[in-house]
C-alpha cells in the first residue's frame, strides 16, 4: 500500500519558491540555501504542521477542491519556512559542506539497499547507557560510507538517546536485480578504561533497481545490546 502526505508537497514547494525569491533579492541576510539546509528546514516545518494523507487519486482531487483549507496550509507553511531557514542557517550541520549540491544523488541501476542498523551500548559494570562515545561501523577493513550527510560514521552517543546508535550505509552496486548476497559488517567501540568492543554480524540483502528513496523502519536491522567492560572484567 502506498500513502502520500500532501503536506510535504506544500512545504517543499514553499521552500523552493521562497529560496528562489531570496536568491533573486540577493540574499540580503546571507542565509545558507544549500540542499542540506533546505532539507533541514523542511524537517523543521513538517514537525510543526499537521500531515494530510491520501491513498488514491480521488483523495488528491478532494484536496484540490478544498481550496480554503489548502490556502491556509500554504500560508502556515510559508510563515514557518522563513523561520526554519533562519534557524537552520544559523545552526548549520558541521559535517556538511553547504555547497549548492551537497546532498548525494541517488544511485541508478541495480543496487543492494542496505537497511538501517540500530543498536545500544552500555557500561557493563553498572548497565548505564554510554554517552560521549563514538561508535564505528566497518566493512572490508574500512569505515562504511553513509547514505547521506545526515548520518554519521562514527556515530556519537549522546546522553538523551540512551546509548542508541544508528547507521544507514550507502547502497552497494549489484550486477542484476533480484540477486541475493550476505554482507559482513562490524561495530567497533573504543572507550578509555574499557576493553575494545567489536561486534561482527551479517546482513542478507536482495538487490533492487535504484536507491531506497527514504528512511523506513521496515528496513531496519536491530543489533543485540552491547556491553563494555573494564580490562579483565567479568562479562558473564
Amino acid at each position: 500500500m502506498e500513502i502520500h502526505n500532501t503536506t510535504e508537497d506544500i512545504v517543499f514547494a514553499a521552500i523552493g519558491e521562497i529560496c528562489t525569491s531570496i536568491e533573486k533579492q540577493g540574499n540580503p541576510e546571507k542565509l545558507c540555501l544549500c540542499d542540506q539546509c533546505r532539507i533541514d528546514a523542511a524537517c523543521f516545518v513538517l514537525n510543526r504542521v499537521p500531515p494530510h494523507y491520501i491513498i488514491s487519486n480521488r483523495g488528491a482531487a478532494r484536496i484540490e477542491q478544498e481550496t480554503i483549507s489548502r490556502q491556509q496550509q500554504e500560508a502556515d507553511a510559508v510563515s514557518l519556512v522563513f523561520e526554519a531557514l533562519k534557524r537552520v542557517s544559523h545552526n548549520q550541520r558541521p559535517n556538511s559542506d553547504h555547497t549548492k549540491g551537497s546532498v548525494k544523488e541517488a544511485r541508478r541501476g541495480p543496487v543492494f539497499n542496505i537497511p538501517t542498523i540500530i543498536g545500544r551500548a552500555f557500561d557493563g559494570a553498572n548497565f548505564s547507557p554510554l554517552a560521549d562515545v563514538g561508535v564505528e561501523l566497518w566493512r572490508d577493513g574500512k569505515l562504511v560510507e553513509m547514505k547521506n550527510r545526515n548520518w554519521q560514521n562514527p556515530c556519537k552517543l549522546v546522553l538523551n538517546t540512551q546509548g542508541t546508535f544508528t547507521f544507514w550505509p550507502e547502497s552497494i552496486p549489484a550486477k542484476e536485480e533480484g540477486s541475493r548476497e550476505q554482507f559482513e559488517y562490524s561495530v567497533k567501540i573504543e572507550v578509555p578504561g574499557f576493553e575494545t568492543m567489536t561486534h561482527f554480524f551479517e546482513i542478507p540483502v536482495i538487490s533492487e533497481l535504484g536507491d531506497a528513496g527514504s528512511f523506513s523502519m521496515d528496513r531496519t536491522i536491530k543489533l543485540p545490546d552491547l556491553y563494555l567492560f573494564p580490562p579483565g572484567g567479568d562479562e558473564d
Side-chain angles (χ1 to χ4, degrees):
M1 179 185 295
E2 292 187 3
I3 62 174
H4 181 67
N5 179 10
T6 59
T7 305
E8 292 183 10
D9 299 331
I10 293 173
V11 170
F12 281 110
I15 288 176
E17 292 172 4
I18 289 172
C19 287
T20 297
S21 176
I22 290 173
E23 289 173 334
K24 287 182 177 179
Q25 295 171 17
N27 195 0
E29 296 186 49
K30 304 302 178 183
L31 299 178
C32 183
L33 305 178
C34 75
D35 291 345
Q36 181 61 67
C37 285
R38 294 187 190 205
I39 291 174
D40 287 341
C43 188
F44 177 92
V45 176
L46 287 168
N47 280 327
R48 288 162 176 79
V49 294
H52 196 153
Y53 296 105
I54 61 172
I55 59 173
S56 68
N57 59 336
R58 285 181 295 178
R62 274 200 302 271
I63 291 291
E64 288 302 317
Q65 292 173 2
E66 296 170 357
T67 306
I68 296 178
S69 175
R70 187 175 179 87
Q71 286 176 343
Q72 184 59 53
Q73 279 186 302
E74 291 173 348
D76 293 341
V78 167
S79 177
L80 281 169
V81 165
F82 279 111
E83 179 186 355
L85 288 171
K86 290 179 180 179
R87 289 200 182 194
V88 168
S89 187
H90 292 110
N91 296 277
Q92 297 177 18
R93 291 180 182 270
N95 58 300
S96 294
D97 60 15
H98 297 281
T99 55
K100 183 68 174 178
S102 61
V103 176
K104 290 183 181 179
E105 291 186 6
R107 291 184 188 271
R108 298 181 180 180
V111 296
F112 292 102
N113 284 305
I114 309 300
T116 51
I117 300 164
I118 298 178
R120 297 189 301 171
F122 296 89
D123 182 329
N126 56 25
F127 303 105
S128 62
L130 295 177
D132 296 320
V133 171
V135 181
E136 299 174 345
L137 182 68
W138 289 77
R139 177 175 175 264
D140 293 339
K142 297 184 294 185
L143 282 174
V144 176
E145 187 175 354
M146 293 293 98
K147 189 77 168 181
N148 59 52
R149 293 178 178 86
N150 295 321
W151 300 74
Q152 288 82 49
N153 186 17
C155 174
K156 187 173 182 180
L157 302 183
V158 294
L159 191 62
N160 63 2
T161 59
Q162 297 295 302
T164 300
F165 56 87
T166 58
F167 298 104
W168 191 10
E170 174 66 285
S171 59
I172 299 173
K175 292 182 179 179
E176 59 184 4
E177 181 185 10
S179 58
R180 182 184 179 89
E181 192 167 331
Q182 293 268 133
F183 294 95
E184 297 182 354
Y185 290 90
S186 64
V187 166
K188 183 178 180 180
I189 309 174
E190 290 185 296
V191 183
F194 291 86
E195 292 185 343
T196 298
M197 159 64 72
T198 304
H199 176 74
F200 296 91
F201 59 99
E202 293 184 342
I203 301 178
V205 187
I206 298 175
S207 60
E208 304 171 272
L209 281 179
D211 270 345
S214 60
F215 165 74
S216 170
M217 288 300 293
D218 292 333
R219 291 175 177 258
T220 301
I221 295 294
K222 179 70 168 65
L223 300 182
D225 290 343
L226 305 179
Y227 296 88
L228 275 70
F229 294 88
D234 184 3
E235 298 185 20
D236 295 328

